[in-house]
Every structure is written in structure tokens, then in C-alpha cells.
Amino acid sequence: MNFGFEKVINFLPTGYQNVCPGSRKGFGYTKVFPPMKKDVQVSENLIELYSNQQTLFARGSIDRLVPLLAANPQPTLLFCGRSFLNGPTWARLGAALNENILGYEIVSHEASPDEIDGWVNRWRGHVDRVVAIGGGSVLDAAKAFSAMMQHPLPTARYLEKVGDTPVQPATLPLIAVPTTAGTGSEATQNAVVTDQQHIQVKASLRHPVFVPQVAILDPDLLKGTPDPVLATCAIDAFTHLFEAYLSRKGNLFSQQMALSGLRLFFQAWPALNRTDQTGDNAREAMMMASWLGGVCLSSAGLGVIHGIAGELGAIKPFHHGEVCGRLLFPFLDVLAESEHPEQQQLMAQLAQQLLPDDPAPPALALKAWLQQHAIMPFWQGGPTLTATEVEWIVARANSKNGWVSYTKETLTDMIAAAWQIA
């Protein structure tokens, strides 16, 4: 299978249009449509699609980056990881990229507010465009930087959960090139920021205009990725799709997008690390599943897995995808016992689509399939949590957009099933 295509998307949020703010090359958005009349009835589950204005998807599409930059010369900053600079793509394209950028910033972990503020102070007034090449942490850091370059206050003032100032619809144009398939950050409206030292928070800067202007999705960039990274990133994509599918905010539109992504995930999951054509097809499918996961989570929201993971990530430097994967399996056990009618109906539909011949309860069938076909058992062993840390996490966790608001006891049991508690 080859999803080689180029598509241009102009699904701007309802009521917004692209305008030039008049200074440098940044872009912003402004309201242009009047509010709906009060007598117009709209479903509570109205789905808005947020996506890139331009998406390039094909094996080898990274080669489009340099011509894209050269066609519109402007001061450009690159965000990337150290592994990218040491890898084959930089060896091949680095000289040409260097001719089109001012410099680069290395991202090695989820960026903190202080790090973002430092980048902004260093580059404000010098950069008009940003390129991000890397995993979710790199892309989120670049998204946060691009937005904060157009905002006057420190990053923490705008963060969800702890900030006191709303973000404005303004950001530098960003070209996002994911080198992992998991977060879907290249297609989301939020930039995740983490501070484990001072305010102990993992939260987002969020606005529809923060969706990267351009996404370049090249499945070949996944080649050579270590198995633990392939597996834990992929299971993050699964949880995005799965939780968005189960979301009480969802409707037929978001559910069908999520099912499309889950079908691609099922095709890809067992063969991500193969070096033959089957492996190429698998990585291509997972790259698309990840992008769909980003679109779905922006449209329908997430559930209890991320409701826990976001708080755990505020105090522990665990890989986010692994955290979600570890929590997924005890959640499936909880889901198997659920009598909630919407959850039951959605799981029955999912099983019919993905596991039609498995007689087990849908949640347990799904758990067994995921574990049996994983390229590595990432859920085994691993770090520990203290009872105090679990109590801290549970006190702040929530069920987000799930149909069921889970008790603190259930949240605690899920964590205890995922990690050893010291």
C-alpha cells in the first residue's frame, strides 16, 4: 500500500480567516463571521476539524522541505533532536538546509516554560518562520516557541491549568516534520509544556491557529528507529484514536476518522520493525494513523488514560507513550466490566470492525491482540512509583471526555496495575 499523495487543507476553524498582522512574516487570525442566532439549534457534539493548511504525505517527502523553504525565503529557525543531526537525513540534506535557516535549537525532552522563554528571548525579532524535525517533544517545543514569539508575557502565564492569561490567535508559521509516529503533534492545536521542577505541571498552550501550517509526513524517517521507540510511540497513537473514538464529545464524524486510524494501526502494529516491503507499508500506515490520531484528539478530546498520564508527566520523566500504553491495559480491564450503554455500543462496533472473529469480550480481545502482536513487551518491568506520588497523581487526575467519571479508587488501581508501587 502506498498513500503517496499531496493534499492542501484549508479547514480553518469556523469563524476565522488568515490575515497579515502587518509586522514581519508572522500570521494571525481574526473573527469574520457573526455569532449564530440563538434560535439555531446545534448538536452538543458538533465536531470541528482542525488540520494543517498543507500536508505532504509520501515516502521521501522530506526532499520537498528545501524547495519549500527556498520558494519563500525568510529568516527560519530549525528545532530538532540530536539524533536527527547525527542521522542520515541531515548528512544528505544538511548543507542545503543550512542555506535556508539561521540556526537551530536542540530539544532533548519535553520543553519547560523557562526553556521556551529562553529561546524566545534569544530569537525574538530575528525569526519569521520555524521548522521542526523530530518526535513529539521537538514538535511541541517548536509550536510553543512559534506561539510565544507572538505573545508578550512569559509562557507560564498562558498555560492551561496554571496560567492567568488567554492565548491570542497569533503564531509564526511552522513546518512540522515528525520523525516518530505517535503524538500526532503535527496536526494538533496544542503544544504540551512540562515543568517538573518548579510548578510541577504538564499542560498545553492551545488555540486552533497553533496547528502547524505545513506537515511533511515521510514514513521513511521511521526507518532504523529502535523498537522501544517505535512501539511506545505507536501505542500513544493508538490511545489517541481509541480515547477519541470512545469520547462522549464524539459523533459519527470523529468516530469514523478514529476507526480509519485504528484499522491502519492494526495493519502496522505487528510489522513496524521489519526491513522489507511489509515493514515499509507498516510504517507508512502508522504515520497516517498518528496524524489521524492528532486530528481526532483535537476534534473529540481524550479520556482517563491521558487524564492520568498528564498528571504523572508533571512529576516523572517517563516516556509519555509508554505511560499511555501501560495505563491502556488496566483501562481495558475496567472497560470489560463496564455496563455503560454508550461504551458497550462503541466497543461492540469496534470489535465488529477490527476483531470480528474473536468471541472474547471486545475490551479483553483488544488487550490480548495488542500484547500478542507487539514488537516488544514495553509494559513489563520498568520504573516504580511511590505511594505518595500515586496519591499526588490521583488527586489531580480526571476522566476528561470519557462517558464514565472514574473514582479515585479506580484511578489508583489502574496506576497500581501499570507500575510497581514502592
Side-chain angles (χ1 to χ4, degrees):
M1 170 169 33
N2 189 331
F3 293 105
F5 65 88
E6 175 178 340
K7 65 186 181 68
V8 179
I9 303 177
N10 286 304
F11 293 120
L12 298 184
T14 303
Y16 288 88
Q17 70 173 5
N18 199 0
V19 296
C20 176
S23 62
R24 304 188 68 80
K25 299 292 181 68
F27 64 86
Y29 291 78
T30 185
K31 274 284 188 180
V32 294
F33 296 129
M36 292 186 298
K37 296 179 181 179
K38 292 183 179 180
D39 59 347
V40 176
Q41 297 299 311
V42 178
S43 167
E44 181 181 349
N45 290 352
L46 172 68
I47 290 296
E48 292 185 274
L49 176 65
Y50 305 110
S51 184
N52 315 97
Q53 293 182 39
Q54 185 180 23
T55 301
L56 310 180
F57 188 116
R59 294 178 58 191
S61 55
I62 185 65
D63 290 345
R64 298 290 299 275
L65 177 58
V66 170
L68 192 64
L69 296 175
N72 183 21
Q74 55 185 295
T76 301
L77 181 66
L78 171 66
F79 280 75
C80 63
R82 181 71 62 185
S83 60
F84 174 72
L85 294 179
N86 293 331
T89 302
W90 179 260
R92 185 167 59 85
L93 299 178
L97 279 172
N98 271 328
E99 294 179 0
N100 290 276
I101 63 173
L102 293 175
Y104 55 80
E105 293 286 357
I106 301 295
V107 181
S108 59
H109 52 263
E110 294 177 356
S112 70
D114 288 345
E115 287 172 313
I116 295 164
D117 292 341
W119 294 326
V120 169
N121 291 335
R122 182 153 57 244
W123 294 102
R124 195 189 294 275
H126 302 290
V127 172
D128 292 333
R129 178 175 59 191
V130 180
V131 175
I133 306 176
S137 295
V138 173
L139 268 57
D140 279 351
K143 289 164 69 176
F145 169 83
S146 299
M148 291 301 97
M149 284 284 281
Q150 302 289 70
H151 289 72
L153 302 177
T155 301
R157 298 285 298 275
Y158 301 101
L159 276 181
E160 295 177 346
K161 300 181 183 179
V162 297
D164 61 1
T165 306
V167 295
Q168 299 302 308
T171 182
L172 296 182
L174 170 63
I175 300 172
V177 187
T179 59
T180 61
T183 69
S185 182
E186 70 278 1
T188 66
Q189 58 182 312
N190 59 299
V192 177
V193 179
T194 302
D195 187 333
Q196 296 175 347
Q197 302 300 319
H198 305 299
I199 55 179
Q200 291 188 310
V201 67
K202 181 171 181 173
S204 289
L205 301 165
R206 188 186 309 269
H207 196 284
V209 304
F210 295 170
V211 178
Q213 189 180 43
V214 178
I216 298 177
L217 308 179
D218 185 347
D220 283 347
L221 295 178
L222 303 181
K223 283 186 174 180
T225 302
D227 286 1
V229 177
L230 282 173
T232 54
C233 288
I235 206 67
D236 189 23
F238 178 90
T239 57
H240 292 162
L241 293 161
F242 186 58
E243 290 195 296
Y245 172 75
L246 291 177
S247 172
R248 59 181 165 78
K249 287 176 58 179
N251 62 20
L252 180 64
F253 185 86
S254 60
Q255 290 160 8
Q256 290 302 309
M257 280 200 302
L259 283 172
S260 294
L262 290 168
R263 282 191 288 268
L264 289 165
F265 175 92
F266 261 57
Q267 172 193 330
W269 181 240
L272 284 172
N273 59 353
R274 290 180 55 161
T275 57
D276 56 7
Q277 183 64 46
T278 299
D280 288 339
N281 292 343
R283 289 181 288 273
E284 191 171 45
M286 191 62 75
M287 184 69 84
M288 189 170 183
S290 178
W291 184 88
L292 281 167
V295 173
C296 288
L297 76 86
S298 286
S299 299
L302 296 170
V304 66
I305 293 172
H306 278 82
I308 298 173
E311 302 307 325
L312 190 154
I315 60 172
K316 305 296 286 187
F318 298 168
H319 186 281
H320 174 72
E322 181 178 330
V323 168
C324 291
R326 285 177 176 270
L327 289 168
L328 170 64
F329 297 130
F331 174 64
L332 288 170
D333 291 333
V334 171
L335 200 57
E337 302 296 324
S338 174
E339 297 181 354
H340 193 280
E342 282 80 9
Q343 283 186 333
Q344 286 186 321
Q345 180 181 5
L346 287 167
M347 288 303 296
Q349 292 171 353
L350 183 146
Q352 185 178 21
Q353 291 283 326
L354 302 180
L355 297 164
D357 300 322
D358 196 319
L364 298 183
L366 184 57
K367 177 181 177 181
W369 188 91
L370 289 168
Q371 292 185 341
Q372 290 167 7
H373 292 85
I375 60 174
M376 64 154 299
F378 64 84
W379 58 91
Q380 296 180 359
T384 62
L385 292 170
T386 68
T388 301
E389 289 169 338
V390 174
E391 183 179 356
W392 190 96
I393 293 164
V394 169
R396 292 159 175 78
N398 62 78
S399 299
K400 287 188 173 284
N401 301 294
W403 284 100
V404 176
S405 182
Y406 294 101
T407 65
K408 293 186 183 301
E409 289 75 18
T410 299
L411 300 181
T412 301
D413 289 344
M414 286 178 58
I415 296 172
W419 289 274
Q420 289 187 337
I421 309 302

